[in-house]
Amino acid sequence: NAGVTQTPKFQVLKTGQSMTLQCAQDMNHEYMSWYRQDPGMGLRLIHYSVGAGITDQGEVPNGYNVSRSTTEDFPLRLLSAAPSQTSVYFCASSYSYGSQGAYEQYFGPGTRLTVT
Amino acid sequence: AQSVAQPEDQVNVAEGNPLTVKCTYSVSGNPYLFWYVQYPNRGLQFLLKYITGDNLVKGSYGFEAEFNKSQTSFHLKKPSALVSDSALYFCAVTSGNFNKFYFGSGTKLNVKP
């Protein structure tokens, strides 16, 4: 299994440009999520999905869009990049959460994004 | 609001000595607690979790953590540190609908030979 894969590894954008960060998992996990990691702030949840066709906002959703058309893929879209979105982005997946219990998340290697 | 605090930005220990990385949390219901480790330029890796039951949970690489409900803490421990344990450690919590996770700011562990 490849686990959780993310592309690209590095990206430089100019203010106002748009792009999509790709995330895919081959573990048939229902739950997928996007985080951003900033120095001194840990990881903050941007958006998450509990299954195909179902997404919801996390702690810092502004400026980001997501969709989940398949179980495997969960892309993150930046519609108009801003310098404040310079960060390292991690995608993660796990078995579904809820009343059955919480499961550990598997993280991708990350995408380092710089917006100038 | 739910939150996690890791009060120490950095912990320094000598190889062979016991280590503790501190974590306190604030949630409105019963917490599910996690520890993850991050090596340079890598994603996070799961170490251990507390869901229910025994307050002392054991995880990967000899790590363990103790859940203390009265002190709202979930400190990570290891009896004998290794140089290879040097990394960034994150505590995380979820509660309520268990779909939103809150991470601490991270603690850098330095183990010196």
Side-chain angles (χ1 to χ4, degrees):
Chain A
N1 287 351
V4 179
T5 58
Q6 292 182 238
T7 56
K9 285 185 168 49
F10 302 94
Q11 183 70 50
V12 179
L13 290 179
K14 295 186 186 301
T15 297
Q17 288 185 318
S18 63
M19 79 160 296
T20 299
L21 280 63
Q22 301 291 344
C23 174
Q25 53 92 10
D26 61 358
M27 296 173 282
N28 202 32
H29 285 165
E30 295 174 343
Y31 181 94
M32 296 186 74
S33 55
W34 276 102
Y35 294 88
R36 57 178 291 172
Q37 182 179 21
D38 301 294
M41 303 193 73
L43 277 73
R44 292 180 291 170
L45 180 65
I46 304 172
H47 286 285
Y48 67 92
S49 168
V50 298
I54 307 171
T55 63
D56 205 347
Q57 296 181 349
E59 191 180 358
V60 288
N62 292 341
Y64 308 95
N65 281 350
V66 292
S67 60
R68 184 99 178 268
S69 57
T70 67
T71 300
E72 294 78 18
D73 301 298
F74 191 43
L76 179 71
R77 297 183 185 86
L78 283 70
L79 297 179
S80 180
S84 61
Q85 294 179 304
T86 294
S87 187
V88 181
Y89 291 85
F90 288 100
C91 179
S93 74
S94 76
Y95 296 105
S96 64
Y97 287 81
S99 59
Q100 293 83 4
Y103 298 92
E104 58 270 25
Q105 296 185 74
Y106 293 77
F107 283 80
T111 294
R112 187 173 296 273
L113 175 67
T114 302
V115 183
T116 61
Chain B
Q2 302 183 75
S3 65
V4 174
Q6 293 182 241
E8 301 156 317
D9 290 336
Q10 187 166 301
V11 171
N12 299 312
V13 297
E15 188 174 31
N17 283 359
L19 69 88
T20 298
V21 182
K22 296 180 180 177
C23 170
T24 59
Y25 65 90
S26 174
V27 298
S28 54
N30 290 325
Y32 287 4
L33 294 150
F34 300 79
W35 275 102
Y36 289 87
V37 59
Q38 184 181 33
Y39 297 100
N41 301 314
R42 303 285 293 276
L44 278 68
Q45 298 176 30
F46 169 76
L47 278 179
L48 52 79
K49 67 181 178 185
Y50 172 82
I51 304 299
T52 187
D54 194 347
N55 289 344
L56 183 66
V57 293
K58 295 184 183 296
S60 306
Y61 312 121
F63 284 94
E64 58 189 29
E66 185 167 13
F67 171 64
N68 188 318
K69 187 172 183 178
S70 63
Q71 297 187 4
T72 62
S73 66
F74 189 57
H75 300 332
L76 181 70
K77 300 181 180 183
K78 188 174 182 182
S80 179
L82 299 173
V83 172
S84 57
D85 293 330
S86 298
L88 190 56
Y89 290 80
F90 289 97
C91 181
V93 68
T94 184
S95 184
N97 70 4
F98 304 109
N99 286 326
K100 293 186 177 181
F101 288 77
Y102 297 86
F103 282 75
S105 55
T107 298
K108 185 177 181 182
L109 174 65
N110 295 316
V111 182
K112 298 185 177 181

